[in-house]
Amino acid sequence: MAVINVEDLKKEYKINVKKEGLSGAILSLFNPKYEIKEAVKGVSFNIEEGEMVGYIGANGAGKSTTIKMLTGILTPTSGKILVNGLIPTKDRIKNNMKIGAVFGQRTQLWWDIPVIESYKLIQKIYEIPIETYNENIAYFSETLGLGELLHIPVRQLSLGQKMRCEIAAAFLHNPKIVYLDEPTIGLDFMVKEKIRKFIKQLNKDKKTTVILTTHDLQDIEEICSRIIIIDKGSIMFDGDLEEIKAEFSKYAVASVLVKEITQELKDFLNTTSENVGFEILSIDENTINIKFDRTQITIAGVFDRISSHSTILDLSIQDISIETIVKTLYERKSLGAGYAR
Amino acid sequence: MLGKLIELIKVNIKINLAYAVNAWGAFVVTLFQIFVFYYIWMAIYKTDSVINGISKDQIITYIILSRIIYTQITWGFIPKMGRSIHTGAIIMDMLKPMDFQLFMFYQRIGDFIAFASMTAVPIIIITSLTLGIQAPLNIPTFACFLLSFLMAMTVSFFVEFSIGLLTFYTNYSWGLQTFQEALVSLFSGALIPIAFFPGWLKAIANFLPFQQMSYSPVSIYLGIVKGHQVYEVLAFQFMWIVILLVLSRLFYAFAIKKITVQGG
C-alpha cells in the first residue's frame, strides 16, 4: 500500500500586487490589488513504503509548496492527500508523530541550548521509548560524527555541524516518512557525503520513506531510486531513475580540447551537428563539449570530424550526467514533446 | 504529558537564563517604574489618606504588584510569536506532534517561572524593604489571590496568543505589541486602578478581559473586593478563560488555513 497518496493536488496563493513607487505603495494601502498565483496545478502521485524519491524542479516550480502540503503545514486549495492513511491537515498530531522533516533554511532545534537538550525535549514530545532514544543517539552520533557537538548551543555551530544535528533530530523518533527540503544546501562535500550515507543507511535499516528536494543532482543520483520533476506547478516527469538513465545511456558527453577554435571549425560544427547525431553543449575557451548518440556515431567518428579542422590536444568521455538529463527533459517539455505520464 | 510539560518548562527556563541580560533589563525597568509611580502617587495622596476607597498604604502595594504583572504580561511574548510567524520558523513548531497552543502555553509557563524567580521575587524583596508592601490580609484571601493571579496569567496568555496570531495578517508584530501594551496599560488597571475610572470608562473596562490580567488579583490581595465579591471576581475570571480559550482556538484554526509560509 502506498504510504503517500496524492490526487489532483492544487494550491493557489493570493498575492498582494504592489504598484511601483511611493504613490503606488500608498495607493495599494487603500486599494489593495490581488493576483491569484497557481503554485501547484493538479499534481498526482503515489509513494510506496521505503521508496526514496527525489522531487526536483527549478526555483519556484512548486516543490516546497508540495512538501509543505504533504506535511500538513499548508492547506491545499483542492485535491486529496493521504499520508499513512491520514489527512495531514486534519490529523495533524497523529501525522506529525510518524513524520520527520528538515527544511534547509530552518531549525527545529532550540537555538540557545546545547543540542542534546533539544534531543531530550524531542524524546519527551514524541514520546520516544528511552531505549530507542539511547540507541538512536549512539547510532546517529557515530554515523554523523556528532560527538562533542551535542554539548554546544546551536547558535555556535557551523552550518555543516548544524545540519548534521538537524538531520539526526528528524530521524530520532524513527519516523515512517522523512521530508528533506534542500538538506544539503550550502554544505561542503565531506558533510554532504556523510548526510547522504546516513540517509541511505536509515532507509536500509528502518525502511524509512524519504522525499527529497534538492538542487544538487548528485544528492538525487546517490540517494534516490525515483525522480519526480515538477515544472511550473505540474509534474513533467515521474519515473525510475535507472530507467531514465538507461534511456539516456546511448548518449555520452565528449570534452575535446583543441589547439585553437578556428572560424572554419565553428562553421563546420554548426552546419553538421544536426544530422550526424551529435550536438554542441558548450564551447568554453578551447574545450568543446559535445553530446553524441552512440547508436549514430562512434567516438572515433567525433574525433575524426574535429581533427580534420583542428589539432586535438586532449579528449575525455563521460556518461551523460543527471544534470544534462534534467536539462534535456526541460527542453523537450518546452518543445511541446510532453513527457509526463 | 507531564514529562513534556516539565521538559518544555525546563528548556524555556534555560533559554531565559541564556539571556540573563534580558532578565536584568526587566528587573531594572520595573524597579525604576515602581519608584516613578510611587512619587507620582505620593503627590496625589498628599492631602487625602484615602481616595476612592483606596488608602495610601494600599496604593503602594498596588503599584508594586501591578507594575510587576505589567512587565510580565508585556515582556516579549508577542514579538517572539510574531518573529516566528514572520520568518516562517513557526512551521517547525507546527510539525511537533503536540497541540500548537498547548506547546506555546507550556513555553509561556517556562517564561513565567524564569521571570518570577529572576525578576519578581528580587523586586518584591527590595521594595518591601524600601517602600513597604502590605502583608497578606489572611490565609484564605491570600489563597484566593494566588488562584486569581494564576488565572490572570492564563487570561494574559490567551490574549497574547490571539494578538500574536494577527501577525499572520500584518506580517509584523511591533505594532501589535504596542497595541497590546496600550490596551493593557489602560484597561488592566496597571496605570490607574479601575476604582479611579469615571463610570463610563469603568463600564467599558468591565466588558474587556484586560482587568482580569492585573486588577482582579491585585484588588483581591488588597481587600478592595471582599467577601462574596471575591468569588464573583474568580468566577468572572474563569468565565473569561473559557471564552478566550474557545475564541483563540477558533481563530488559530482559521488563521493557519490562510498561512503562507514566508521564505520558500
Side-chain angles (χ1 to χ4, degrees):
Chain A
M1 201 198 98
V3 288
I4 297 179
N5 174 239
V6 174
E7 262 170 51
D8 201 24
L9 183 66
K10 283 184 187 147
K11 180 73 188 175
E12 289 170 357
Y13 287 115
K14 209 163 104 180
I15 300 173
N16 191 348
V17 189
K18 294 240 160 66
K19 293 194 190 76
E20 269 176 53
L22 182 64
S23 58
I26 294 167
L27 265 177
S28 307
L29 209 55
F30 295 104
N31 182 20
K33 291 240 179 332
Y34 294 101
E35 207 171 69
I36 301 287
K37 192 191 164 226
E38 275 188 294
V40 175
K41 309 173 189 168
V43 159
S44 305
F45 54 81
N46 285 315
I47 292 172
E48 303 296 322
E49 189 180 359
E51 265 195 291
M52 303 236 263
V53 180
Y55 197 62
I56 50 185
N59 284 326
K63 298 185 305 271
S64 287
T65 305
T66 312
I67 297 281
K68 278 169 190 146
M69 286 193 282
L70 290 178
T71 57
I73 297 166
L74 287 183
T75 311
T77 307
S78 68
K80 192 180 107 181
I81 301 179
L82 278 181
V83 177
N84 296 312
L86 301 171
I87 300 169
T89 44
K90 291 258 159 62
D91 282 304
R92 189 182 296 279
I93 294 174
K94 266 197 209 157
N95 178 56
N96 285 352
M97 265 309 192
K98 295 184 192 164
I99 64 167
V102 172
F103 292 94
Q105 332 241 23
R106 316 241 176 260
T107 176
Q108 71 155 316
L109 302 170
W110 279 258
W111 201 240
D112 303 297
I113 54 173
V115 177
I116 191 77
E117 304 274 354
S118 289
Y119 288 173
K120 278 185 199 157
L121 189 49
I122 289 169
Q123 185 255 322
K124 289 277 194 281
I125 291 176
Y126 286 88
E127 295 159 7
I128 308 170
I130 196 76
E131 310 82 51
T132 315
Y133 169 78
N134 287 334
E135 243 168 62
N136 280 352
I137 289 282
Y139 176 26
F140 297 177
S141 300
E142 201 195 308
T143 34
L144 285 167
L146 302 181
E148 68 273 23
L149 300 182
L150 293 176
H151 303 287
I152 303 173
V154 177
R155 65 179 138 90
Q156 288 171 19
L157 296 176
S158 74
L159 183 62
Q161 292 171 329
K162 192 189 121 227
M163 195 43 79
R164 273 142 65 197
C165 295
E166 288 288 339
I167 300 262
F171 282 90
L172 213 50
H173 56 293
N174 291 340
K176 289 186 68 136
I177 303 168
V178 173
Y179 303 98
L180 302 167
D181 194 2
E182 299 185 27
T184 58
I185 196 164
L187 302 181
D188 71 44
F189 179 75
M190 298 285 283
V191 176
K192 278 185 183 176
E193 261 318 294
K194 259 197 187 123
I195 290 178
R196 288 169 188 158
K197 235 177 162 172
F198 176 79
I199 296 168
K200 276 194 281 188
Q201 194 61 44
L202 268 118
N203 169 266
K204 219 171 101 188
D205 292 354
K206 305 195 170 164
K207 284 200 86 182
T208 315
T209 308
V210 176
I211 321 281
L212 170 78
T213 79
T214 181
H215 290 292
D216 184 344
L217 293 170
Q218 195 71 32
D219 285 349
I220 302 278
E221 187 138 30
E222 286 194 27
I223 297 171
C224 301
S225 49
R226 170 176 164 195
I227 54 172
I228 298 177
I229 305 177
I230 182 167
D231 185 39
K232 298 189 186 98
S234 309
I235 291 183
M236 203 172 84
F237 175 83
D238 177 357
D240 195 79
L241 187 62
E242 287 309 313
E243 226 169 74
I244 190 161
K245 273 167 88 179
E247 192 201 321
F248 278 87
S249 68
K250 62 178 182 178
Y251 297 108
V253 174
S255 294
V256 186
L257 179 68
V258 292
K259 202 170 176 187
E260 166 180 36
I261 295 180
T262 56
Q263 194 55 46
E264 186 203 344
L265 177 61
K266 260 191 189 162
D267 291 343
F268 166 75
L269 289 172
N270 284 337
T271 48
T272 54
S273 58
E274 283 297 330
N275 45 32
V276 291
F278 74 72
E279 182 191 334
I280 312 301
L281 291 176
S282 63
I283 301 176
D284 15 274
E285 293 195 31
N286 287 350
T287 308
I288 309 165
N289 293 308
I290 298 165
K291 184 176 109 186
F292 66 99
D293 182 344
R294 287 188 175 124
T295 56
Q296 290 183 42
I297 187 169
T298 60
I299 183 63
V302 176
F303 193 88
D304 278 350
R305 265 154 229 265
I306 294 175
S307 66
S308 61
H309 297 278
S310 183
T311 312
I312 294 180
L313 299 176
D314 198 4
L315 175 74
S316 66
I317 305 156
Q318 299 110 35
D319 280 332
I320 198 154
S321 72
I322 184 88
E323 269 101 350
T324 320
I325 295 178
V326 171
K327 218 177 119 200
T328 313
L329 286 171
Y330 265 106
E331 276 159 9
R332 273 194 204 172
K333 163 95 182 205
S334 59
L335 290 173
Y339 204 80
R341 73 170 189 203
Chain B
M1 206 61 189
L2 200 63
K4 285 182 204 176
L5 171 67
I6 294 169
E7 201 64 34
L8 260 167
I9 291 173
K10 264 168 49 186
V11 160
N12 246 46
I13 294 174
K14 283 177 199 152
I15 292 170
N16 277 283
L17 285 172
Y19 290 101
V21 177
N22 195 37
W24 278 106
F27 172 77
V28 173
V29 168
T30 311
L31 198 59
F32 182 76
Q33 285 178 346
I34 288 171
F35 279 95
V36 171
F37 272 66
Y38 172 79
Y39 287 111
I40 293 172
W41 281 101
M42 285 311 99
I44 297 169
Y45 272 85
K46 209 164 191 170
T47 50
D48 305 282
S49 59
V50 178
I51 304 174
N52 290 326
I54 299 176
S55 72
K56 199 170 166 177
D57 286 344
Q58 281 179 318
I59 202 77
I60 296 171
T61 305
Y62 186 95
I63 295 164
I64 296 167
L65 295 181
S66 61
R67 286 331 291 177
I68 290 174
I69 291 174
Y70 178 76
T71 306
Q72 162 58 18
I73 62 188
T74 54
W75 201 259
F77 187 74
I78 290 174
K80 193 160 108 183
M81 236 180 105
R83 219 170 18 249
S84 160
I85 293 171
H86 181 56
T87 61
I90 191 178
I91 64 173
M92 298 317 291
D93 293 342
M94 287 173 66
L95 283 172
K96 297 281 183 306
M98 240 182 109
D99 181 76
F100 177 72
Q101 196 181 37
L102 197 62
F103 183 71
M104 297 308 272
F105 185 59
Y106 285 2
Q107 295 188 54
R108 187 68 181 80
I109 295 175
D111 285 349
F112 171 73
I113 293 174
F115 176 86
S117 51
M118 291 193 288
T119 308
V121 169
I123 287 181
I124 288 173
I125 292 169
I126 291 173
T127 51
S128 61
L129 292 175
T130 52
L131 306 177
I133 292 183
Q134 207 178 73
L137 294 173
N138 50 49
I139 292 173
T141 310
F142 189 67
C144 287
F145 159 73
L146 282 183
L147 179 63
S148 173
F149 176 65
L150 293 178
M151 288 204 281
M153 294 299 108
T154 312
V155 169
S156 176
F157 167 76
F158 287 127
V159 170
E160 290 166 63
F161 182 84
S162 307
I163 295 180
L165 281 182
L166 288 174
T167 312
F168 277 125
Y169 301 90
T170 63
N171 272 333
Y172 198 52
S173 64
W174 184 79
L176 295 173
Q177 166 80 10
T178 315
F179 172 65
Q180 182 242 13
E181 279 174 20
L183 287 175
V184 168
S185 299
L186 183 61
F187 290 114
S188 75
L191 209 55
I192 302 164
I194 289 171
F196 283 65
F197 283 13
W200 61 273
L201 195 59
K202 213 183 264 178
I204 296 175
N206 284 335
F207 267 102
L208 296 170
F210 302 102
Q211 63 169 294
Q212 313 306 340
M213 292 152 62
S214 173
Y215 190 68
S216 296
V218 178
S219 53
I220 290 175
Y221 183 89
L222 292 173
I224 295 171
V225 290
K226 352 181 185 351
H228 67 94
Q229 279 180 315
V230 172
Y231 303 111
E232 273 170 32
V233 169
L234 292 175
F236 213 58
Q237 276 188 303
F238 186 73
M239 185 196 81
W240 267 112
I241 289 178
V242 174
I243 292 172
L244 290 170
L245 172 72
V246 173
L247 288 182
S248 61
R249 292 194 77 84
L250 288 175
F251 183 33
Y252 174 67
F254 178 75
I256 56 162
K257 280 195 190 133
K258 299 199 67 176
I259 179 177
T260 48
V261 176
Q262 314 284 341

